[in-house]
Amino acid sequence: MKNPKGKVYLVGAGPGDCDLMTVRSQKLLSQAEVLIYDALVDIPQLELIPVTCLKIEVGKRGGKPSTQQQEINRLLVEHCHRGKQVIRLKSGDPFIFGRSSSEIQALIAADCDFEVIPGISSAFAAPLLAGIPLTDPVMSRCFAVMSAHEPDALEWEALVKIETLVILMGGRNLGEIVWQLQKHELSSQTPIAIIRDCGRPEQQIWLGTVSDIVHKTIGQSLSPCVIIIGEVVRLREYLMQPEITNRIDLPVTPNHSQLPLAGNTILVTRAATQSGQFSDRLQELGARAIEMPALVIGPPSSWEALDSAIAQLSTFHWLILTSHNAVDCFFARLEASGKDARSLFGIKIAVVGKKTAESLRSHSLQPDFIPPNFVADSLVENFPDKLQNCKILFPRVESGGREVLVKEFTAKGAQVIEAPAYQSCCPETIDSIALAALRNREIDIITFASSKTVQNFCKLIEQSPELSRSQDWLKNVCIASIGPETSKSCYDLLGKVDVEAQEYTLDGLTEAIVQWVAENQT
């Protein structure tokens, strides 16, 4: 049988923030079967792809070993011929210093279907995000964009006559760039802005002039950066908010550095499909969030018990849902059985936690009971109905848990029907980006939202001999737990807990992390 025809999409990732990607780019990433990406593509873009997608990093970071272009071309053609939807993800825009021509020629020669999806180049995003307009009726009627990867190859005599210059890939050659500007008689007082990591929590800005910018950046790592040269740089003072322009000489952009989690890299260990909102919130507070999926959610080995319970729903008095997964999987199976929420008429519903309650409300249902402190084991103690002869349906994870809960309900006369609704497994491999961050001692805080994530995290760490042989790498890392049960697992397996949420929710965990950072990193 002939393989289905594949297609390659050359996609612009933008400057580094998922919110600055095109809608079409985000949609294609969510459907990718194979992802071939540059080292300059930031972490958030990678988190948009499906868990089942094959990820292949092909380097292309200046000054470091890179995959040969011929090999990249071969990978694109090979996976396309296998009938896969291939995303070739490039930083910025594919046609602005994106080296796309060679790849397109290879695809055409191999009769591969392809499409190019535009992205926002850092050449335009960086000055905008820094409050610097590239054009102005008086100061800049034109601008030029160039790569300074090989500064000797540029026509500096002509370039100094252009009112605004935007230079990419120039961080390592700043001294040479300034020398060329001075050699060709550009005024020493011409302002320069250097913007590093534009659009990301760690964005930095250096401001100076042709005469002093090299001195101001001595000892600083500038790459990857955008360099803007011209009088328009002065307009930043008038176009940014007053509290920011008052600190115009600071190297770190104040609107990021003033955020409570700025400067912290946080590892998020949740299910691959459930960490997005939590990571987004941490990033809004200034953190760099790296996701390390520690759970894979899938169907149980058999639907028999749950299907049998759904067929007899009218015989139950209560439905207990202790997690977002339980809600989604139960209602998905209810629909698969040809039923909907109307089948729950006369049945009361108890949920554990705000997020579980929100998941239930998404199905147009309100919980009848939420235990205090959002702890499942407090259900029995505070249960609003008599439990004698009460029949309870408890859809849960197949691997079990909540034995105390079931035992206490049963001891008080209730009949609890446990039915596997989903399975949570440990991923086969540790995420490569998370592993690199752990090995390089980049992680400041690790978050755990369940005991299972702690257990699976430790299993995944065993894949790295460097980390598993010794826990020295954990000494200066803050362990943040969502609640007592998770904390117990942290103590048992990691030997410590530095932060425990007072309210056992992700919002509570976020609040606890912010408080810990304020107390320990001032």
Side-chain angles (χ1 to χ4, degrees):
M1 182 177 177
K2 189 176 179 180
N3 287 334
K5 190 173 178 63
K7 186 170 182 178
V8 176
Y9 295 87
L10 289 83
V11 175
D17 187 330
C18 292
D19 290 339
L20 297 178
M21 294 182 69
T22 65
V23 173
R24 179 151 170 73
S25 295
Q26 290 190 352
K27 182 178 179 180
L28 287 170
L29 277 178
S30 70
Q31 300 169 347
E33 295 177 294
V34 178
L35 178 74
I36 299 175
Y37 65 100
D38 286 345
L40 286 176
V41 173
D42 201 16
I43 293 166
Q45 277 76 13
L46 302 186
E47 292 164 359
L48 294 172
I49 69 170
V51 177
T52 54
C53 177
L54 172 64
K55 294 187 293 185
I56 305 173
E57 182 179 342
V58 291
K60 296 294 184 186
R61 187 180 289 279
K64 295 184 179 180
S66 298
T67 305
Q68 294 296 313
Q69 188 61 57
Q70 185 176 359
E71 174 62 11
I72 296 174
N73 297 348
R74 186 193 68 78
L75 288 169
L76 293 173
V77 170
E78 176 186 333
H79 289 287
C80 183
H81 281 169
R82 290 180 180 178
K84 301 297 184 181
Q85 178 161 308
V86 183
I87 304 298
R88 173 69 172 106
L89 193 62
K90 294 173 173 285
S91 181
D93 181 270
F95 276 5
I96 298 183
F97 307 119
R99 307 184 190 185
S100 297
S101 299
S102 173
E103 293 168 11
I104 290 175
Q105 289 170 1
L107 293 170
I108 292 173
D111 193 28
C112 291
D113 194 10
F114 72 91
E115 184 178 344
V116 183
I117 311 299
I120 300 175
S121 170
S122 60
F124 311 124
L128 183 149
L129 294 171
I132 300 171
L134 293 182
T135 62
D136 179 79
V138 176
M139 294 183 176
S140 178
R141 287 155 294 185
C142 65
F143 65 90
V145 179
M146 68 213 72
S147 162
H149 187 63
E150 298 178 0
D152 290 342
L154 297 173
E155 296 289 340
W156 290 102
E157 185 175 356
L159 290 174
V160 296
K161 297 176 183 178
I162 298 174
E163 292 165 323
T164 303
L165 301 180
V166 181
I167 301 178
L168 307 182
M169 293 173 274
R172 292 182 177 85
N173 294 315
L174 179 61
E176 173 69 14
I177 292 168
V178 168
W179 182 82
Q180 291 283 3
L181 295 173
Q182 292 173 328
K183 176 184 176 182
H184 292 88
E185 300 182 353
L186 185 68
S187 170
S188 63
Q189 296 308 304
T190 302
I192 295 181
I194 300 177
I195 305 162
R196 180 188 180 211
D197 288 323
C198 79
R200 305 174 189 179
E202 59 268 32
Q203 175 176 298
Q204 291 180 285
I205 299 176
W206 290 267
L207 299 171
T209 63
V210 170
S211 65
D212 65 14
I213 191 65
V214 172
H215 175 73
K216 285 188 173 184
T217 57
I218 289 176
Q220 301 290 336
S221 175
L222 301 181
S223 298
C225 73
V226 177
I227 302 171
I228 303 148
I229 304 168
E231 293 300 321
V232 289
V233 172
R234 301 190 195 278
L235 292 176
R236 182 176 190 270
E237 182 176 357
Y238 305 99
L239 298 178
M240 297 299 284
Q241 298 174 16
E243 64 269 21
I244 294 176
T245 55
N246 287 340
R247 299 177 174 85
I248 198 166
D249 59 335
L250 291 179
V252 180
T253 307
N255 57 337
H256 277 304
S257 65
Q258 297 293 305
L259 295 173
L261 296 181
N264 286 275
T265 298
I266 301 179
L267 190 68
V268 177
T269 60
R270 298 197 72 207
T273 57
Q274 295 177 355
S275 51
Q277 289 185 347
F278 184 39
S279 295
D280 289 347
R281 179 56 181 152
L282 295 174
Q283 290 180 149
E284 287 171 4
L285 294 170
R288 175 192 178 201
I290 296 178
E291 295 191 359
M292 177 181 160
L295 286 176
V296 176
I297 305 300
S301 58
S302 171
W303 290 109
E304 183 178 353
L306 186 57
D307 287 347
S308 175
I310 287 174
Q312 305 173 55
L313 268 180
S314 60
T315 66
F316 289 93
H317 301 103
W318 279 87
L319 169 66
I320 293 179
L321 301 166
T322 59
S323 69
H324 165 82
N325 290 323
V327 174
D328 284 355
C329 295
F330 172 78
F331 279 95
R333 200 59 189 172
L334 189 68
E335 183 178 350
S337 301
K339 301 177 184 292
D340 56 28
R342 290 173 295 182
S343 302
L344 294 169
F345 177 76
I347 302 173
K348 294 180 180 179
I349 305 175
V351 301
V352 176
K354 288 182 178 179
K355 294 297 182 183
T356 311
E358 289 174 10
S359 297
L360 183 65
R361 292 186 186 104
S362 71
H363 295 277
S364 302
L365 291 170
Q366 292 287 344
D368 296 283
F369 175 56
I370 306 177
N373 301 323
F374 313 121
V375 177
D377 291 343
S378 68
L379 269 168
V380 179
E381 182 181 350
N382 299 277
F383 206 71
D385 278 3
K386 292 181 179 180
L387 290 172
Q388 190 67 37
N389 299 320
C390 181
K391 188 175 181 181
I392 299 171
L393 174 57
F394 181 24
R396 56 157 178 80
V397 63
E398 184 173 1
S399 54
R402 308 294 186 194
E403 289 85 358
V404 173
L405 175 68
V406 176
K407 183 178 179 180
E408 290 183 357
F409 268 125
T410 304
K412 294 199 173 185
Q415 180 187 1
V416 181
I417 306 299
E418 299 178 80
Y422 63 97
Q423 181 60 284
S424 63
C425 305
C426 183
E428 293 183 3
T429 58
I430 186 171
D431 181 86
S432 58
I433 295 171
L435 178 59
L438 287 165
R439 284 175 171 169
N440 295 332
R441 308 298 193 265
E442 297 174 19
I443 302 300
D444 300 297
I445 301 168
I446 303 177
T447 66
F448 294 104
S450 70
S451 293
K452 194 76 171 180
T453 56
V454 184
Q455 296 161 13
N456 289 351
F457 173 82
C458 293
K459 289 180 183 177
L460 291 168
I461 289 297
E462 290 175 1
Q463 296 179 13
S464 170
E466 177 186 344
L467 298 176
S468 60
R469 278 196 299 261
S470 169
Q471 289 197 340
D472 286 348
W473 59 271
L474 200 56
K475 279 184 181 178
N476 298 318
V477 177
C478 168
I479 300 299
S481 160
I482 200 170
E485 291 187 14
T486 304
S487 293
K488 184 179 183 303
S489 295
C490 290
Y491 280 119
D492 291 343
L493 297 172
L494 299 172
K496 67 171 186 173
V497 172
D498 300 285
V499 174
E500 183 178 287
Q502 295 300 304
E503 179 183 290
Y504 311 143
T505 65
L506 290 177
D507 289 340
L509 181 55
T510 303
E511 184 179 338
I513 292 171
V514 169
Q515 183 177 346
W516 183 88
V517 168
E519 293 174 352
N520 291 272
Q521 298 186 4
T522 53

